Amino acid sequence: MKSIIILGDGMADEPIEALGGKTPMQYADTPYMDKLAELGVTGRMKTVADGFHPGSEVANMAVLGYDLPTVYEGRGVLEAASIGYDLKPGEMAMRCNLICVEGDVLKNHSSGHITTEEADELIRFLNEQLGSDRVHFYTGVSYRHLLVVKGGDKRLDCTPPHDVPLHPFRPLMIKPEVPEAQETADMLNDLILKSQEILKDHPVNRRRIAAGKDPANSIWPWSPGYRPAMQTMQEMYGFKQGSVISAVDLIRGIGVYAGLKVIDVEGATGLYDTNYEGKAHAALEALKTNDFVYLHVEASDEAGHEGDVDLKIRTIENLDKRAIGIIFEELKKWDEPVAIAVLPDHPTPCSIRTHTNTPVPFLIYKPGQEPDSVTRFDEFSVLEGKYGILEKDEFIKELV
């Protein structure tokens, strides 16, 4: 049976007083997720392995069944794979955000969701001014970019910038975990401070400030690692061909290492204005020839990071009606059965504006299977689900 995973990044949350004690998933109108829960089998998944930070790279790799202690090398390597950079032995990759600093405070992790065109101009400028034989900057998407350091020591304590909005940035700068990594930490912190000096008056930032937008006035490198040793999903699960659909570099990078074909969708932004319908139709087209499709939508995570409850509800409803609904209604017409799974990768509670490691709800619908008693899809309804709590590769093995 062919299968598709539809992942709403950061969709899970916690009860919110303004919603009458409901979570955004409980409050949102989601007829298609609820119908799939009614027809399928539900449960919760532990997507963040013990000892790991609840990042999207950790959680999405877990959803795909990878053993994190064996293969995890951080976000940077995934950004590199996504943009086609082939990491060489001895090269350390880091995710490099363009952030907004206001005084001594890290105002936000995204520079007000800077456009890729503006960011490319800044990243090229940074590479000209701060790059060297050892240090190179590469453009990614929006605020998410790549820093490659030859001979860097990855044993570093780095703070994800989306975890610390409105915090003073200096206490959060990079620290060595071992004495041998001190030189790498010092070099990276020097790059952060130098970037602030040269970016503050850049024409791109002057234009953004004049337009009332946040400037991209600092880099923030984090999540270091070397090239991972990952098996493909074909090798692990035996299907012939699979695809990944996402606007987010790190998810596309996971797809590259997992042996999945990366499918581009026009208008896929990684934000709440993304092309839901385009992603849904691309997934259906891929399922005609593929055994497996991983459809990732980032919008709810970004709404959670902004602490915007109303926006998060809207992103959940958009995912339901403008993506899941299209896929479900079309697959009902197919002669060939297709298994559908829906889940978040991790919660991104609006109250704290960052990720948590709480197990997430999931549903698996396979035509012809015996459903459980759950009829709604949210964080609490699935507590009555047949699966209980799954971890490691248990979820993916139930699906494919």
Side-chain angles (χ1 to χ4, degrees):
M1 188 181 296
K2 294 184 175 185
S3 55
I4 178 170
I5 294 175
I6 305 171
L7 191 133
D9 200 299
M11 185 165 58
D13 210 299
E14 297 170 354
I16 296 171
E17 185 177 347
L19 301 181
K22 293 182 176 181
T23 70
M25 285 185 71
Q26 289 178 303
Y27 192 87
D29 180 29
T30 54
Y32 286 103
M33 287 190 235
D34 294 344
K35 173 57 70 172
L36 286 167
E38 181 182 351
L39 295 172
V41 183
T42 63
R44 291 190 298 161
M45 181 181 179
K46 179 180 175 181
T47 57
V48 181
D50 292 339
F52 282 85
H53 183 84
S56 288
E57 76 285 12
V58 167
N60 280 272
M61 289 174 75
V63 169
L64 293 174
Y66 284 99
D67 180 56
L68 271 296
T70 302
V71 302
Y72 182 71
E73 283 287 345
R75 287 199 183 200
V77 299
L78 304 175
E79 310 281 349
S82 175
I83 65 175
Y85 185 83
D86 186 22
L87 276 176
K88 310 296 189 301
E91 288 185 332
M92 182 180 77
M94 299 186 75
R95 166 72 167 271
C96 186
N97 280 46
L98 286 174
I99 66 169
C100 178
V101 170
E102 200 167 76
D104 286 330
V105 172
L106 194 159
K107 184 178 181 184
N108 63 56
H109 69 288
S110 66
S111 302
H113 296 294
I114 188 170
T115 68
T116 300
E117 291 73 24
E118 291 172 308
D120 180 55
E121 190 174 337
L122 295 178
I123 291 294
R124 291 175 182 272
F125 176 70
L126 286 164
N127 201 52
E128 290 171 3
Q129 299 296 313
L130 302 180
S132 64
D133 289 341
R134 188 182 181 195
V135 172
H136 291 274
F137 295 86
Y138 298 93
T139 302
V141 176
S142 183
Y143 61 87
R144 314 174 186 99
H145 305 283
L146 173 67
L147 174 62
V148 176
V149 178
K150 292 181 180 178
D153 193 314
K154 74 170 187 174
R155 293 171 292 180
L156 302 169
D157 178 7
C158 302
T159 301
H162 54 263
D163 282 354
V164 287
L166 306 180
H167 284 63
F169 77 86
R170 290 181 186 273
L172 303 170
M173 292 175 73
I174 297 167
K175 303 172 185 65
E177 293 179 337
V178 296
E180 293 84 356
Q182 183 70 58
E183 187 272 338
T184 302
D186 290 343
M187 180 199 68
L188 292 168
N189 286 327
D190 186 55
L191 288 174
I192 291 172
L193 297 176
K194 285 181 176 176
S195 77
Q196 294 177 6
E197 284 299 313
I198 68 173
L199 288 176
K200 62 182 179 182
D201 292 321
H202 191 280
V204 165
N205 283 326
R206 289 206 301 269
R207 291 194 296 268
R208 288 184 64 80
I209 292 169
K213 299 176 181 178
D214 287 333
N217 56 11
S218 180
I219 63 168
W220 194 265
W222 58 289
S223 200
Y226 311 122
R227 186 184 180 97
M230 286 172 59
Q231 283 185 294
T232 66
M233 292 190 69
Q234 290 91 329
E235 291 170 332
M236 292 193 296
Y237 306 118
F239 59 75
K240 294 179 181 177
Q241 188 173 352
S243 296
V244 60
I245 300 169
S246 176
V248 177
D249 277 357
L250 76 90
I251 306 299
R252 293 158 67 93
I254 291 172
V256 170
Y257 286 120
L260 305 178
K261 178 184 177 184
V262 177
I263 296 176
D264 295 316
V265 175
E266 185 175 355
T269 64
L271 295 172
Y272 16 87
D273 62 353
T274 197
N275 183 0
Y276 293 91
E277 293 86 356
K279 285 187 167 187
H281 289 301
L284 288 165
E285 191 63 29
L287 278 171
K288 292 177 181 178
T289 55
N290 288 196
D291 300 310
F292 173 77
V293 172
Y294 195 65
L295 173 58
H296 171 272
V297 178
E298 175 78 357
S300 295
D301 186 58
E302 292 294 343
H305 285 307
E306 293 182 14
D308 191 328
V309 176
D310 291 339
L311 179 60
K312 187 163 189 181
I313 292 168
R314 190 161 74 247
T315 64
I316 293 168
E317 294 179 341
N318 282 336
L319 177 66
D320 185 78
K321 298 177 180 65
R322 298 171 59 188
I324 296 172
I326 291 171
I327 291 167
F328 178 67
E329 293 293 346
E330 180 61 28
L331 290 181
K332 285 197 298 187
K333 306 173 187 175
W334 289 22
D335 293 330
E336 184 176 14
V338 177
I340 303 173
V342 180
L343 76 165
D345 50 350
H346 51 68
T348 307
C350 292
S351 60
I352 59 173
R353 297 175 58 176
T354 191
H355 305 168
T356 69
N357 62 3
T358 305
V360 299
F362 73 85
L363 67 85
I364 294 177
Y365 162 66
K366 292 183 178 180
Q369 75 178 350
E370 182 71 25
D372 61 20
S373 61
V374 175
T375 58
R376 277 192 52 82
F377 184 59
D378 59 60
E379 300 90 340
F380 295 99
S381 63
V382 302
L383 296 177
E384 305 299 322
K386 176 182 174 182
Y387 282 122
I389 293 186
L390 303 184
E391 59 181 316
K392 299 180 179 177
D393 61 357
E394 293 173 338
F395 163 79
I396 193 74
K397 285 184 173 178
E398 287 292 331
L399 177 68
V400 299

